[in-house]
Amino acid sequence: MHELAVCQAMLEQVAGIAAREQASEVTRIIVRIGPLSGVVPELLEQAFTIARSGTIANQAELITEATGIRVRCSQCGAETDAGITRMICGKCGDYRTQLLSGDELLLASVELNRAEQAVE
């Protein structure tokens, strides 16, 4: 279950963002996961409940957004959707395609609350 290590790395990145923005807590984290990323969204969500404990994201919600697979055909130039086991051009059917998306694991956004400023 490498999703725990993925969560820990993601939370380190989130902690850096929270420190830079002087946040008191992180409330929501949105990640985009492609089907070829090697990460299973359900396992990532399970690992997140463990990894977030004791961090600035202790109460945060994790939202995973699935992305599709897109390819560019080297023969006709079309950019089309493809399947995980059929990465062929959707226009001409050629197998010589270039992967455009579908292998990403992207930290899309972080919602946080900033610490209240002291008023004198």
Side-chain angles (χ1 to χ4, degrees):
M1 184 167 139
H2 75 284
E3 280 77 3
L4 183 58
V6 170
C7 274
Q8 291 169 330
M10 177 183 67
L11 287 168
E12 286 179 22
Q13 188 177 3
V14 167
I17 293 168
R20 184 186 70 215
E21 299 297 324
Q22 300 176 340
S24 58
E25 68 175 334
V26 175
T27 57
R28 180 179 292 166
I29 300 169
I30 300 175
V31 294
R32 294 193 182 116
I33 303 173
L36 302 174
S37 68
V39 174
V40 179
E42 294 80 13
L43 295 179
L44 188 71
E45 291 166 3
Q46 290 175 5
F48 180 73
T49 60
I50 298 168
R52 72 180 178 183
S53 180
T55 70
I56 193 162
N58 192 38
Q59 298 297 318
E61 171 187 21
L62 177 67
I63 296 175
T64 57
E65 297 178 346
T67 63
I69 300 172
R70 295 274 302 169
V71 295
R72 178 182 298 127
C73 181
S74 62
Q75 295 305 299
C76 73
E79 293 183 8
T80 60
D81 292 334
I84 199 165
T85 58
R86 290 186 49 93
M87 295 183 52
I88 60 173
C89 176
K91 184 176 180 184
C92 71
D94 198 276
Y95 68 91
R96 290 168 281 189
T97 58
Q98 175 188 12
L99 182 66
L100 297 176
S101 67
D103 62 344
E104 64 273 3
L105 175 61
L106 177 68
L107 177 59
S109 70
V110 176
E111 292 181 17
L112 45 84
N113 290 327
R114 286 201 168 109
E116 294 294 323
Q117 298 286 328
V119 178
E120 294 182 24

